[in-house]
């Protein structure tokens, strides 16, 4: 019932029940099951070669090194560094209050909710949906194979390459050059502050207002009314299949050929 000290090996073939505190200053080797009903304090290294099951809270003030697979079915709260050399499977919520650094691949089969900043030094690959409620800054390339829906403003300082459909529900502001390798379909208004260059076919199904010069290097087909409020200069041949109404003066430096009826309501000087 009092204090007991063993200065050499102790071998017990049956069960040992200890109702008080057990303090072991050296190494402990257990070939079978260790069941502890109260608090346990290990002042030195604990090595477990088999499975270890903890049915209650575990508090470690030092480092924990795990060489094999770790499966945690409940919540995990880490106030300091977690270093895992092997695979780690977390079956429930993981809450990290500080910075988290992953030096290798991270695979997540469920949702990820990040309240702070996320910095990815390598490739970010996702097979499901991604929702960003705040700003997203990308210093490298962004390759999107599926549909991209952006509900807010988009500011691009460099190249955007999209392999699939893209739907922009709000304003898109591009400060630099824009190159489109396929069809551009715009249902709303488009304001171009600089030069608009179309090397292929361009179709406008509604009104087009040009406050500056309009320069077309190839053929242009206008299927509806064209209204020019200022001077219009054509440096090459002009073919009009319908009627032409000119309210002001017309100067023709070359040949004027009319295959149909021509009416002049004022003087004609040749």
């Amino acid at each position: 019932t009092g204090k007991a000290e063993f200065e050499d090996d102790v071998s017990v073939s049956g069960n040992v029940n200890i109702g008080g505190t057990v303090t072991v200053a050296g190494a402990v080797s257990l070939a079978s099951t260790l069941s502890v009903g109260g608090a346990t304090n290990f002042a030195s290294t604990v090595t477990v070669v088999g499975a270890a099951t903890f049915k209650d809270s575990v508090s470690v003030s030092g480092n924990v090194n795990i060489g094999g697979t770790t499966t945690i079915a409940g919540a995990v709260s880490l106030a300091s560094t977690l270093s895992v050399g092997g695979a780690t499977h977390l079956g429930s919520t993981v809450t990290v209050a500080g910075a988290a650094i992953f030096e290798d691949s991270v695979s997540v089969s469920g949702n990820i909710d990040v309240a702070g900043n996320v910095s990815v030094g390598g490739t970010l690959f996702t097979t499901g949906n991604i929702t960003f409620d705040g700003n997203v800054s990308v210093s490298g390339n962004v390759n999107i194979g599926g549909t991209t829906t952006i509900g807010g403003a988009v500011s691009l300082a460099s190249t955007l390459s999209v392999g699939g459909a893209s739907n922009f529900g709000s304003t898109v502001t591009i400060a630099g050059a824009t190159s489109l390798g396929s069809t551009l379909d715009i249902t709303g208004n488009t304001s171009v502050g600089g030069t608009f260059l179309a090397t292929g076919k361009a179709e406008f199904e509604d009104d087009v207002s040009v406050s500056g010069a309009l320069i077309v290097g190839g053929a242009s087909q206008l299927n509806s009314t064209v209204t020019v409020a200022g001077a219009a200069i054509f440096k090459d041949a002009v073919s009009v299949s319908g009627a032409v109404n000119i309210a002001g003066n017309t100067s023709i430096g070359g040949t004027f050929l009319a295959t149909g009826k021509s009416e002049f309501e004022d003087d004609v000087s040749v």
Side-chain angles (χ1 to χ4, degrees):
T1 59
K3 180 178 181 181
E5 294 183 2
F6 303 95
E7 296 182 355
D8 206 340
D9 295 338
V10 176
S11 177
V12 180
S13 60
N15 296 326
V16 177
N17 296 319
I18 302 173
T21 302
V22 178
T23 301
V24 181
V28 177
S29 177
L30 302 174
S32 185
T33 303
L34 171 65
S35 178
V36 180
T40 303
N41 180 24
F42 298 97
S44 184
T45 302
V46 178
T47 302
V48 181
V49 295
T53 302
F54 302 96
K55 296 182 178 179
D56 206 338
S57 300
V58 178
S59 177
V60 180
S61 59
N63 295 326
V64 177
N65 296 319
I66 303 171
T69 301
T70 303
T71 301
I72 302 174
V76 178
S77 178
L78 303 175
S80 185
T81 303
L82 172 66
S83 178
V84 180
T88 302
H89 177 228
L90 307 174
S92 184
T93 303
V94 179
T95 302
V96 181
I101 300 175
F102 302 95
E103 296 183 353
D104 206 336
S105 299
V106 177
S107 176
V108 181
S109 59
N111 297 326
I112 298 179
D113 187 3
V114 181
N117 297 326
V118 178
S119 177
V120 180
T123 302
L124 174 64
F125 178 72
T126 63
T127 58
N129 297 326
I130 300 181
T131 301
F132 300 100
D133 292 332
N135 296 326
V136 178
S137 176
V138 181
S139 59
N141 296 325
V142 177
N143 295 320
I144 303 173
T147 301
T148 303
T149 301
I150 302 175
V154 178
S155 177
L156 302 175
S158 185
T159 302
L160 171 66
S161 177
V162 181
S166 298
N167 179 27
F168 299 95
S170 183
T171 303
V172 179
T173 301
I174 302 174
T178 302
S179 177
L180 304 174
S182 185
T183 303
L184 173 65
D185 186 5
I186 302 175
T187 58
N189 297 326
T190 303
S191 176
V192 181
T195 302
F196 177 76
L197 174 63
T199 58
K201 184 179 179 180
E203 295 183 2
F204 302 95
E205 296 180 355
D206 207 337
D207 296 339
V208 178
S209 177
V210 180
S211 58
L214 174 64
I215 301 174
V216 180
S220 298
Q221 181 178 343
L222 307 174
N223 294 326
S224 186
T225 302
V226 179
T227 302
V228 181
I233 300 174
F234 302 96
K235 295 183 178 180
D236 207 335
V238 177
S239 175
V240 181
S241 60
V244 177
N245 296 320
I246 303 174
N249 298 324
T250 302
S251 176
I252 300 175
T255 302
F256 176 76
L257 174 63
T259 58
K261 183 180 180 181
S262 298
E263 294 184 359
F264 302 95
E265 297 181 357
D266 207 337
D267 297 337
V268 176
S269 177
V270 178

